[in-house]
Amino acid sequence: MSLGARLRHLAAYRLAGRAALALNRRREERAADRRPVDPTRALTPPLRSSARMRQMMSEHYLEGRHASGVRPVAWVTSGAPAEILKALDFFIIYPENHAALCGARRHAQALCEAAEDAGYSRDICSYARTDIGTALTGNTPVGRLPPPDLLLCCTNICQTVLYWYRVLADHYGCPLVLVDTPFQYRETPLEHEVAYVRRQLEEIVPVAEKVAGRRFSEERFTEVVAEAKAASELWLEILERARHRPAPLTAFDAFTHLGPIVDMRGDAETTGYYRSMLAEIDRRIADGVGAVREERHRVLWDNLPIWYRIGSLSRWLAERGVNVVASTYTHAWGELAPLMDPSDTFGSMARVYMHPILNRSAGQKLDAMRRMVGEFEADGVILHSDRSCKPYSLGQIDQRDGLVNQVGVPALLLDADHNDPRAYAEEQAAGRLEAFVEMMAR
Amino acid sequence: MHRVVAAIAATQTNLRPAAFFDENGSGMSVTAQLPNRREILTEVRRSGYRPVAVLPYHYPRALLRAHGFHPVELWGPPDVPRDEGSRHFQPYTCDIVVRATSFLLRGGLDGVDALLVPHTCDALQGMGSVVGDFGPVAPPVLTLYLPRGERPADREFLVAELRRLAAALEEIGGRTPSVVDWDEAFGAEDAADRALAGLYDRRAGLAATDREFYTVVRAREYLTAEAFSALAGSVPEGEPPGGVPVMLSGIVPEPMTLFDHLAKMGARVVADDLACGGRRRYDPPAGGDPFERTADRILSGPPDPTRGAPIAARAARLVEQMEKTGARGLLIYDVKFCEPELFDVPLLRSRLVEEGFGVLHVEVEMGTELPQQTLTRIEAFVETLQ
Ligand code: SF4
Ligand code: SF4
């Protein structure tokens, strides 16, 4: 650990940076408080918590700029067991979250193109292309990403992440630890599958200890797992509040508030943040405030968001009285909470990390959607057919048919890509969405 | 150059058919003489074995055989349109999955007792899941999760996963293999593995065109082990056709007319890293617990993206093979939308170029003929190697 790096970390992040971001947040909150409510807008004002969320995410990436040489840095997949690394005080970067941020801020296309210029096919996942573009050019809207000392890849969302992290391991020359999670074709994991994942989780520890240069503490690990569980439970509660009519938040709100539960799960500050967000949502419910001013249709969203169209799509739908009240994607970070058991950390985590919706069969995903349609009283389902996320998208044709024929709700397959705007045909999408809304109105 | 002509007299010898090779230059082709998959299915049934359709590409052959099953692999096929498969999979799904689904839905393999979908990639995960859960195809769907590493934990898991598969096969076939069954199965399948490896080892001294050589290699996809061993063993020795030596990488060389085009362009394939070929050069261990033995066979294959091998290890193997065989360039011939292959291309290219080899990457939609544009690119590549 170099003294220079520590001083930079202290000055630029801990003192000046955090203070500036706190000030900025207060300004944003005051501005939001003073802004008159515009009754002509289809969406009610955004959650006040957004300012705090932005502050947290900015602090996170700001620390990242100065983390090298101060804290060990790990890059991990969104479904990876980061709690183990948290317990060893790793600074953690989630490349998928970084890529989503690039998508939302309209930087992704240029980064994808940089990766394509280097030979990466346009047919591979656009998150991977975005981040490979950053690795190759150094360009990122967050200033700088600290290079990884360790890569942790968990296949519970897709096999793509392993192909991608093999590229990163080659590029950065650092160790790559794999947690391979057998795909769940059945409802309940088999014993040999649980044993396999558990053993791999335990085997992360010596590698991570070596990279971090410190001993793993069971006690600290248990604390982190407990904290992660608490935050995940709160996150699930927040999402479940959208069962109210009118729903106090949209799935688009949930997409943008996903950052802390993905990137900072296990930190006390994250738990505190979601507690205050839940309180704000409860106030909305008490005041009868819905996220969409005139909620006429309630819709379930399947798959990743279209990051570069989040704002425009949510407004467009709201203007037609549509509130996208839930999504299978955001629920993925909440529904694992009940499986977490701080008294059996590795054992429960083995089950948790095999359980994400992306690691379960197409039929189980249809069952989950069927359940959510009922619980959220959804009038229809939009299935984002995401060109570059094969694991989430393959199976959607039969799932749509199941929703239409068995559940009896209109279901739309909407062609797009989560991060690459070149795969989104604006007019065609608008036409199909119009027809879908009309169908719900019948 | 000798022309290789093969004929399989499957019906005469039950599951142990003979193979005949002539060197008569009669103009008959290997493909004209080999039985097709349907004929094999009929014969397999007649011999008391149960046919099982298998998707690409690592799976336990001896285990299937010991349980009374015979695998017939599905790699497309390229001449089956995507139509029926497209009712289940989006346009950005690879041809292997979509066309195989079409083929099954058209009754292409009616009469198989099961469908085995190894968890090779996200696309086959989707296929296994869709056909298993939504039942567009009739036979029971079996899955096999292949671990993405070679650590002790991966081996232990694979052994247990093979036991699970064996239990499912027992349930369908009602047969618990005896020690004799296992010995018989390993004897035949290990010999076929050795015959495949032997073909590659003898490649430089075989009087076979590339088309003929790969027709024989790919006969492993559906022939019985004995028929394949006999076929492989009877490829005559002699001077192979000339041409600029190239190595071929990718999943499957479809359409097989690729080889005719390469020959016309003056190229000759001297080595490969094909999923249907060189990546299945296993080094089967002798003896031991049948499940451990089966797992070790699969894990003994060369570095492979679908098994999580580091890209550097894969590049090193390519360089080693190219140096050994004198290949001057690498043709990476990928099925469109095949992520496991696409991610490795830039790094493989840069390593090989550093070593002085030429590299061309093409992505191909399966069909009965290659697009002219692709042929032009390949031709230009071959010219640069000359
Ligand atoms: S393929 Fe899908 S699940 Fe995998 S990293 Fe890309 S977006 Fe995420
Ligand atoms: S071609 Fe590639 S993506 Fe398709 S099944 Fe084969 S390995 Fe999977």
Side-chain angles (χ1 to χ4, degrees):
Chain A
M1 230 182 267
S2 85
L3 183 63
R6 290 184 70 148
L7 286 175
R8 271 195 304 278
H9 185 262
L10 180 72
Y13 164 63
R14 284 203 175 280
L15 301 175
R18 279 169 40 139
L21 289 169
L23 192 67
N24 193 47
R25 170 187 152 193
R26 276 195 293 277
R27 266 200 216 115
E28 277 189 28
E29 284 172 347
R30 272 200 301 272
D33 292 344
R34 280 199 297 263
R35 200 173 298 131
V37 175
D38 179 355
T40 63
R41 296 181 72 152
L43 284 162
T44 53
L47 291 163
R48 197 173 187 270
S49 307
S50 304
R52 182 166 170 199
M53 189 269 300
R54 273 195 292 277
Q55 178 197 7
M56 286 171 71
M57 295 308 293
S58 302
E59 276 187 7
H60 175 70
Y61 281 109
L62 178 64
E63 179 170 16
R65 288 164 82 156
H66 305 286
S68 299
V70 180
R71 293 174 67 186
V73 175
W75 287 20
V76 312
T77 55
S78 63
E83 290 83 356
I84 296 169
L85 302 181
K86 279 241 175 251
L88 281 160
D89 196 35
F90 270 84
F91 178 79
I92 296 177
I93 288 284
Y94 288 81
E96 291 149 71
N97 179 273
H98 169 259
L101 190 144
C102 295
R105 297 199 195 165
R106 316 281 170 93
H107 285 259
Q109 182 174 332
L111 292 167
C112 286
E113 284 166 356
E116 288 156 24
D117 289 346
Y120 291 92
S121 167
R122 205 166 150 174
D123 292 332
I124 66 176
C125 168
S126 51
Y127 271 173
R129 273 180 288 142
T130 303
D131 279 320
I132 290 172
T134 292
L136 294 174
T137 61
N139 294 341
T140 163
V142 302
R144 174 183 179 267
L145 283 184
D149 301 307
L150 178 74
L151 292 161
L152 176 61
C153 172
C154 185
T155 58
N156 59 359
I157 48 171
C158 59
Q159 297 299 319
T160 302
V161 284
L162 179 55
Y163 314 136
W164 170 10
Y165 274 52
R166 286 160 68 247
V167 171
L168 294 177
D170 203 279
H171 184 83
Y172 290 107
C174 65
L176 164 60
V177 179
L178 167 69
V179 179
D180 192 12
T181 47
F183 185 73
Q184 297 299 294
Y185 294 98
R186 295 156 295 276
E187 197 72 43
T188 317
L190 302 169
E191 275 318 307
H192 73 282
E193 296 172 331
V194 178
Y196 176 47
V197 176
R198 183 187 176 127
R199 184 166 168 187
Q200 293 176 83
L201 294 176
E202 288 167 349
E203 286 175 0
I204 298 172
V205 174
V207 184
E209 279 183 330
K210 199 166 161 208
V211 173
R214 67 174 68 190
R215 293 298 301 267
F216 180 76
S217 150
E218 279 281 353
E219 206 180 316
R220 173 77 189 115
F221 180 46
T222 307
E223 279 168 21
V224 173
V225 171
E227 202 67 63
K229 181 179 168 72
S232 303
E233 279 167 352
L234 285 163
W235 177 243
L236 188 60
E237 274 194 71
I238 288 169
L239 300 178
E240 297 283 309
R241 290 294 198 268
R243 291 190 195 192
H244 283 266
R245 276 178 186 269
L249 78 165
T250 70
F252 298 104
D253 294 322
F255 290 142
T256 48
H257 285 266
L258 196 58
I261 195 69
V262 178
D263 283 30
M264 289 171 257
R265 188 176 66 241
D267 290 349
E269 196 189 351
T270 303
T271 317
Y273 164 69
Y274 286 118
R275 195 168 290 122
S276 70
M277 182 177 170
L278 181 62
E280 184 184 0
I281 284 173
D282 281 341
R283 280 196 299 278
R284 277 193 169 199
I285 292 172
D287 297 343
V289 175
V292 171
R293 208 171 293 282
E294 283 180 44
E295 181 184 287
R296 292 191 296 277
H297 311 292
R298 295 163 64 87
V299 165
L300 171 69
W301 179 277
D302 178 51
N303 213 328
L304 279 84
I306 304 169
W307 287 112
Y308 47 90
R309 283 290 179 279
I310 282 217
S312 56
L313 202 52
S314 73
R315 278 191 299 277
W316 191 94
L317 287 165
E319 281 158 10
R320 286 150 185 84
V322 178
N323 188 355
V324 180
V325 290
S327 84
T328 54
Y329 182 69
T330 46
H331 259 69
W333 279 269
E335 60 197 7
L336 306 181
L339 297 173
M340 291 185 185
D341 180 0
S343 68
D344 174 23
T345 41
F346 282 107
S348 65
M349 276 174 71
R351 287 174 194 278
V352 164
Y353 283 101
M354 256 190 296
H355 195 70
I357 194 160
L358 271 163
N359 204 42
R360 282 183 280 143
S361 73
Q364 291 182 63
K365 198 175 132 212
L366 173 60
D367 289 343
M369 285 196 268
R370 191 183 282 135
R371 203 183 51 242
M372 289 177 83
V373 165
E375 288 172 356
F376 288 86
E377 297 177 1
D379 309 307
V381 182
I382 298 174
L383 300 104
H384 167 203
S385 173
D386 186 344
R387 187 178 188 278
S388 73
C389 182
K390 273 86 178 169
Y392 219 138
S393 306
L394 269 53
Q396 281 180 322
I397 296 179
D398 286 279
Q399 287 155 358
R400 178 203 53 196
D401 293 350
L403 289 163
V404 173
N405 300 326
Q406 296 161 22
V407 185
V409 289
L412 169 73
L413 215 54
L414 182 67
D415 291 311
D417 183 289
H418 58 276
N419 238 31
D420 188 342
R422 292 168 295 175
Y424 187 65
E426 196 82 59
E427 278 180 28
Q428 193 189 343
R432 304 204 63 209
L433 283 163
E434 287 281 11
F436 171 69
V437 176
E438 272 171 31
M439 193 120 69
M440 282 192 297
R442 271 186 215 147
Chain B
M1 182 189 80
H2 300 284
R3 186 150 200 81
V4 180
V5 178
I8 302 293
T11 49
Q12 294 165 9
T13 50
N14 218 335
L15 274 178
R16 291 168 183 74
F20 304 100
F21 283 84
D22 295 337
E23 297 174 11
N24 59 9
S26 66
M28 294 167 74
S29 73
V30 171
T31 37
Q33 296 293 315
L34 286 171
N36 63 31
R37 280 161 163 80
R38 272 187 184 283
E39 288 163 342
I40 287 289
L41 287 187
T42 311
E43 181 46 33
V44 161
R45 275 216 173 283
R46 204 169 8 215
S47 312
Y49 279 75
R50 292 167 180 273
V52 52
V54 183
L55 274 296
Y57 55 92
H58 295 296
Y59 64 97
R61 295 194 68 119
L63 184 144
L64 292 177
R65 181 172 176 130
H67 286 80
F69 287 82
H70 174 73
V72 176
E73 298 176 16
L74 284 182
W75 296 77
D79 54 346
V80 173
R82 287 175 62 106
D83 304 13
E84 289 89 345
S86 297
R87 290 193 204 119
H88 300 275
F89 299 106
Q90 288 96 327
Y92 46 81
T93 314
C94 77
D95 273 324
I96 298 265
V97 162
V98 180
R99 289 177 198 264
T101 307
S102 286
F103 186 61
L104 291 167
L105 291 174
R106 289 176 160 215
L109 283 184
D110 273 359
V112 293
D113 283 37
L115 175 67
L116 172 62
V117 189
H119 191 287
T120 302
C121 57
D122 290 327
L124 280 169
Q125 168 184 297
M127 179 176 176
S129 185
V130 165
V131 296
D133 287 351
F134 302 122
V137 297
V141 179
L142 304 171
T143 57
L144 173 70
Y145 191 84
L146 295 162
R148 266 57 182 185
E150 293 178 5
R151 304 160 294 185
D154 300 308
R155 181 176 181 272
E156 192 179 288
F157 167 78
L158 183 54
V159 169
E161 183 69 352
L162 290 166
R163 285 186 199 280
R164 182 188 65 75
L165 176 63
L169 292 169
E170 276 182 33
E171 206 170 295
I172 298 170
R175 175 165 158 187
T176 307
S178 64
V179 175
V180 176
D181 291 331
W182 280 112
D183 284 349
E184 191 272 343
F186 280 120
E189 293 296 343
D190 288 358
D193 279 347
R194 282 193 298 274
L196 179 70
L199 264 184
Y200 279 100
D201 291 340
R202 294 184 292 126
R203 176 82 180 101
L206 294 177
T209 63
D210 288 340
R211 174 89 183 247
E212 289 163 342
F213 180 81
Y214 282 99
T215 300
V216 174
V217 166
R218 298 197 56 202
R220 181 80 170 120
E221 294 166 15
Y222 59 100
L223 287 187
T224 61
E226 290 85 345
F228 176 77
S229 297
L231 179 67
S234 54
V235 179
E237 292 185 358
E239 185 73 19
V244 189
V246 294
M247 184 167 184
L248 188 60
S249 180
I251 296 293
V252 64
E254 289 286 10
M256 290 282 275
T257 50
L258 167 71
F259 294 113
D260 304 332
H261 291 295
L262 283 171
K264 266 196 228 126
M265 292 168 191
R268 171 166 164 72
V269 178
V270 291
D272 80 64
D273 166 50
L274 291 168
C276 67
R279 281 188 219 166
R280 299 204 286 190
R281 274 195 71 167
Y282 303 110
D283 190 8
D289 168 80
F291 295 100
E292 292 185 8
R293 200 170 159 180
T294 308
D296 287 339
R297 171 182 177 269
I298 291 175
L299 296 175
S300 73
D304 177 334
T306 67
R307 293 197 303 105
I311 301 174
R314 190 171 169 212
R317 175 174 177 269
L318 293 181
V319 169
E320 184 233 342
Q321 291 278 308
M322 291 178 78
E323 282 173 348
K324 199 166 115 190
T325 56
R328 286 189 213 157
L330 177 72
L331 171 58
I332 307 177
Y333 187 82
D334 281 342
V335 176
K336 181 97 176 133
F337 300 117
C338 178
E339 273 205 345
E341 297 297 308
L342 293 175
F343 269 93
D344 284 11
V345 170
L347 287 172
L348 291 182
R349 182 199 294 277
S350 71
R351 296 293 140 79
L352 289 171
V353 169
E354 270 167 31
E355 298 290 332
F357 297 109
V359 178
L360 175 70
H361 176 225
V362 293
E363 281 181 75
V364 183
E365 285 175 28
M366 272 189 176
T368 47
E369 217 5 292
L370 275 165
Q372 188 53 44
Q373 200 189 2
T374 307
L375 288 172
T376 308
R377 289 184 63 210
I378 297 175
E379 189 164 21
F381 173 63
V382 172
E383 273 169 22
T384 61
L385 300 178
Q386 279 161 345

